[in-house]
Amino acid sequence: MSGHETPSATQPAQHNRRRVLTWLVGAAAVALAAVWVAQRGLNDMDWAARRRQMVDEQIKDRGIKDERVLKAMHKVPRHEFVPEDYRSAAYQDRPLPIGLGQTISQPYIVALMTEAVTPKAGQRVLEVGAGSGYQAAVLAELGTEVYTIELLAKLAEQAQENLKRVGYKKVKVKAGDGYLGWPDAAPFDAIVVTCGAEHVPAPLFEQLKPGGKMVIPVGKTPDQVLYLITKGPNGERQERELAPVRFVPLRRAADVKDK
Ligand code: SAH
């Protein structure tokens, strides 16, 4: 008899234990979810605060005035465009590695180049050197139609992924030699070249609309001068020096083995 009694006597206890366990697991799940949500929220706020500081101290204080540019730089989550290992440094005043020996430019330089061409909403912009996709996102944030070319197929893929994930789905990314421009999409209101060229590529100037602007680092790597090139109404070329800069070089498809 006792053999029957024992299990029946322990059943309520087991039942209780199971209920307690279920409750504990449930409570732990709720607590974990709360921590996750809080941390995510905090992180997002934290990133936004870092971006605000970046815009104020690195960009506004150095003389960038265009409100649209400042707003775009504050909006685009730069940390989403840098490799995981460099995320915490995303808002620092410097370029960062993005793989294959290439870099995402210093935030101030992105702002300077964007302000130099001041594309209006609805205008068509070409970028040469997609890299991480960050500069393209800043241009897209101004409401422009962005085309960006990247020589290294792996980086082109990465740029495309970054842009999609963050929500800049309309930016067109292509792997190829940007020296040749993007003839099918030309002419462009603005061209932003984010690698250092030895001279202004003729196809790029050709693909600029009359009245259009191109910003491009020119000179022997690593030291170049950032130029603003404008095309007059009759196709005449004017140029102005903006700043000394250091960009990775513009290479031609034939120079590259690690594509
Ligand atoms: N604008 C990028 C940073 C670009 S770094 C960003 O916001 O992250 C310069 C990039 O230009 C590199 O990724 C390099 O591979 C690319 N590049 C070099 N020569 C090129 C060419 N001929 N055509 C297109 N991209 C080129």
Side-chain angles (χ1 to χ4, degrees), residues 81 98 100 102-105 110 127-136 149-152 155 176-180 194-195 247-253:
F81 291 86
I98 54 169
L100 302 182
Q102 308 305 313
T103 52
I104 176 175
S105 306
V110 174
E127 181 194 19
V128 175
S132 66
Y134 176 68
Q135 169 78 73
I149 312 180
E150 169 55 54
L151 187 61
L152 306 176
L155 288 184
D177 184 354
Y179 184 97
L180 304 170
T194 65
C195 38
F247 275 84
V248 295
L250 181 148
R251 295 186 291 171
R252 304 303 312 277

Side-chain angles (χ1 to χ4, degrees), residues 182-202:
W182 194 318
D184 294 348
F188 298 96
D189 298 282
I191 299 181
V192 175
V193 181
T194 65
C195 38
E198 288 188 8
H199 56 263
V200 176

